[in-house]
Amino acid sequence: MTSGADPVGRPSRYEKVVLGWIQGEGKTAVSAGVWLLATSLLTAVFIAALGWQVWENLALSNRGEIGEARVVRTNYEGRSPSLNVVYLSGPVGKAALIDNPVKRPSTDDVIHVLYDPHHPTTIREVGAPIWRWFDYLVIVPFAVAGGLIVPAQLMRFRRRLRERHIRKS
């Protein structure tokens, strides 16, 4: 045993605090490994979703250009209003979708948009906030929780493997 390490079979305080609420307790190395895999995959999904939002917004704020677009369809019903637009300047003729528009233009209105010239489907109305905080408020808690849980799961998995190895010896 290395100095400063907890004895094999005794969970660390970090493990107890972070994983105390999870049922199943990871009694065997296999069940601890399954919990580790599941939480790692979910955390990776949430971090990828968060990273995608950040990347799109940074690209738009750094290299965005202003252009004109004609509204070809509006959808103001439901939780997430949207506009289908076709560019009149910039990438002329390309279509894009604006989620959660700030203004409520009608069909055939011409609006000014901020778009990414490398990815013309990344688009916002001019004057609309670049950062959609609600998206982050939904994703960030899960990414942070996963960032705390995955190391604790890894510690549990390694401890269960050591216990298994000692029992076989």
Side-chain angles (χ1 to χ4, degrees), residues 6-157:
D6 283 340
V8 174
R10 184 172 154 213
S12 69
R13 285 187 202 157
Y14 182 76
E15 253 182 277
K16 286 180 186 176
V17 170
V18 174
L19 300 178
W21 61 272
I22 294 178
Q23 296 299 313
E25 297 297 318
K27 296 286 184 198
T28 65
V30 172
S31 65
V34 168
W35 278 109
L36 173 62
L37 180 65
T39 55
S40 297
L41 289 174
L42 285 173
T43 300
V45 167
F46 285 119
I47 289 174
L50 182 64
W52 182 261
Q53 289 286 332
V54 169
W55 178 83
E56 267 192 344
N57 289 324
L58 286 175
L60 194 55
S61 65
N62 288 335
R63 64 175 179 242
E65 294 182 10
I66 295 177
E68 290 186 334
R70 180 175 308 281
V71 177
V72 293
R73 182 178 170 273
T74 61
N75 176 20
Y76 296 125
E77 291 85 39
R79 289 186 316 169
S80 181
S82 62
L83 303 173
N84 291 62
V85 297
V86 174
Y87 288 103
L88 299 176
S89 64
V92 176
K94 287 221 178 235
L97 176 71
I98 299 176
D99 289 322
N100 299 318
V102 174
K103 300 173 187 154
R104 295 175 80 90
S106 302
T107 304
D108 290 330
D109 285 355
V110 175
I111 60 172
H112 289 82
V113 294
L114 181 67
Y115 68 96
D116 181 355
H118 296 133
H119 302 281
T121 57
T122 303
I123 183 175
R124 300 269 190 275
E125 292 172 287
V126 170
I130 300 290
W131 300 97
R132 296 183 297 180
W133 294 108
F134 180 74
D135 293 345
Y136 297 105
L137 292 176
V138 170
I139 296 172
V140 167
F142 292 107
V144 170
L148 293 172
I149 291 172
V150 168
Q153 291 284 12
L154 182 60
M155 291 168 70
R156 174 188 284 176
F157 180 66

